């Protein structure tokens, strides 16, 4: 039985109070059998620890309030942070992902990361970042400049947004899109799943899998057909005869025998001078 587990009967166990910290939980049979591939399995727990964020100089009050109200984010000193937030001067030379507030950016929202312009992960998920709820027309009127989104390649992930959008009285601050944008952008910067607010065990990198010896691809323990097929190591004859059934090539054999019979009759008639 797994350590700290509760036996439920029928080879089932219940393990409680496992931290959602991205760890891999494994189980294995104490005594294996002839098919070693299904003697153990692993599952990766979702990582739901709060994302460590540092708010540096130039961080608007609206962003500070959004971060403080989000239980998936925790404020820490810059040295301990996974993500830095601040103006361009405060985050200059940062060695980790950043959310930059700068009115000098070409677009209102700029997402950058390795290969982002080619893979298009962010470009296809802009709605999930809360931007679908944004009234771009009202925001453009308030800022007196067109509002747009850009996706670029960069060595390290970063998000740039106009600081003016977070000023008091801005339509963006009053919009429900603002805290969604802040939270999900920070989670994307932290390489977390920014597209949903929860995850069950096995939903992240590694589902419930087992490794086939000598193979790179995992096999699912929940796939009964795969497990049974892999366990069937009995020898099978190359050809199986089905008694009481006609061979599948019977028409061809019939035609071949008929042609041979006609050739034999023609030869007999020639020998008897019945035909030239």
């Amino acid at each position: 039985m797994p350590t700290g587990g509760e036996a439920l009967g029928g080879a089932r166990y219940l393990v409680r109070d496992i931290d959602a910290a991205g760890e891999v939980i494994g189980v294995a049979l104490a005594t294996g059998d002839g098919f070693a591939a299904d003697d153990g399995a692993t599952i990766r727990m979702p990582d739901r620890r709060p994302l460590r964020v540092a708010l540096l100089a130039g961080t608007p009050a609206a962003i500070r309030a959004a971060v403080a109200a989000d239980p998936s984010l925790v404020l820490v000193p810059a040295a301990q942070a996974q993500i830095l937030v601040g103006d361009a001067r405060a985050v200059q030379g940062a060695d980790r992902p950043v959310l930059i507030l700068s009115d000098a950016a070409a677009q209102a929202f700029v997402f950058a990361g390795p290969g982002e312009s080619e893979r298009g992960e962010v470009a296809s998920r802009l709605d999930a970042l809360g931007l679908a709820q944004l009234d771009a027309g009202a925001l453009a009127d308030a800022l007196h400049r067109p509002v747009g989104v850009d996706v670029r390649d960069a060595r390290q992930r970063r998000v740039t947004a106009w600081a003016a959008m977070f000023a008091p009285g801005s339509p963006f601050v009053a919009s429900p899109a603002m805290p969604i944008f802040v939270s999900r952008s920070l989670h994307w910067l932290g390489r977390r799943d920014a597209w949903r607010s929860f995850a069950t065990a096995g939903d992240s990198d590694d589902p419930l899998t087992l490794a086939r010896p000598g193979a790179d691809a995992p096999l699912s323990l929940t796939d009964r057909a795969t497990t049974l097929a892999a366990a069937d190591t009995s020898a099978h004859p190359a050809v199986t005869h089905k008694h009481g059934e006609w061979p599948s090539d019977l028409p061809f054999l019939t035609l071949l025998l008929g042609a041979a019979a006609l050739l034999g009759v023609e030869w007999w008639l020639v020998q008897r001078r019945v035909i030239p």
Side-chain angles (χ1 to χ4, degrees):
M1 184 174 70
T3 303
E6 175 186 347
L8 301 179
R12 296 179 302 146
Y13 301 92
L14 175 63
V15 182
R16 303 177 185 272
D17 301 326
I18 299 178
D19 293 335
E23 297 179 346
V24 176
I25 307 298
V27 295
L29 298 177
T31 303
D33 54 22
F35 179 54
D38 63 356
D39 290 350
T42 61
I43 186 171
R44 182 179 295 278
M45 301 300 296
D47 190 346
R48 286 294 169 263
R49 291 172 294 181
L51 192 64
R52 302 188 304 276
V53 180
L55 303 181
L56 308 181
T59 303
I63 291 182
R64 293 181 181 273
V67 171
D70 191 336
S72 69
L73 306 173
V74 60
L75 291 176
V76 298
Q80 304 171 12
Q82 297 168 270
I83 309 296
L84 301 178
V85 182
D87 59 26
R89 178 177 297 181
V91 301
Q92 185 176 10
D95 59 351
R96 68 204 76 179
V98 294
L99 171 57
I100 308 171
L101 287 310
S102 173
D103 289 324
Q107 298 288 354
F109 304 94
V110 180
F111 299 87
E116 286 300 330
S117 64
E118 297 179 1
R119 292 197 301 269
E121 179 194 31
V122 173
S124 64
R125 299 294 189 107
L126 294 179
D127 289 354
L129 287 167
L131 300 185
Q133 304 176 35
L134 174 65
D135 187 346
L139 185 57
D141 291 341
L143 300 177
H144 306 292
R145 58 193 300 192
V147 173
V149 181
D150 193 11
V151 179
R152 302 178 181 178
D153 288 332
R155 181 182 58 83
Q156 186 168 260
R157 288 190 177 188
R158 67 174 185 268
V159 176
T160 305
W162 289 343
M165 292 189 299
F166 299 91
S170 166
F172 189 49
V173 170
S175 168
M178 190 275 293
I180 297 176
F181 165 77
V182 172
S183 177
R184 294 189 176 176
S185 294
L186 292 176
H187 278 273
W188 178 76
L189 288 170
R191 298 185 181 276
R192 298 282 187 84
D193 186 357
W195 321 121
R196 56 185 173 180
S197 57
F198 68 94
T200 57
D203 276 357
S204 53
D205 296 336
D206 297 334
L208 184 60
T209 60
L210 61 90
R212 185 201 299 271
D216 295 329
L219 299 174
S220 172
L221 276 179
T222 60
D223 186 350
R224 176 179 175 83
T226 299
T227 300
L228 294 179
D232 185 6
T233 58
S234 60
H236 297 281
V239 178
T240 302
H241 297 285
K242 298 181 179 180
H243 300 287
E245 295 185 6
W246 293 100
S248 60
D249 57 354
L250 179 61
F252 173 76
L253 293 177
T254 302
L255 290 175
L256 184 62
L257 292 175
L262 288 175
L263 183 61
V265 171
E266 184 179 1
W267 180 84
W268 182 83
L269 292 176
V270 170
Q271 292 297 321
R272 295 295 186 273
R273 300 182 183 276
V274 174
I275 61 175

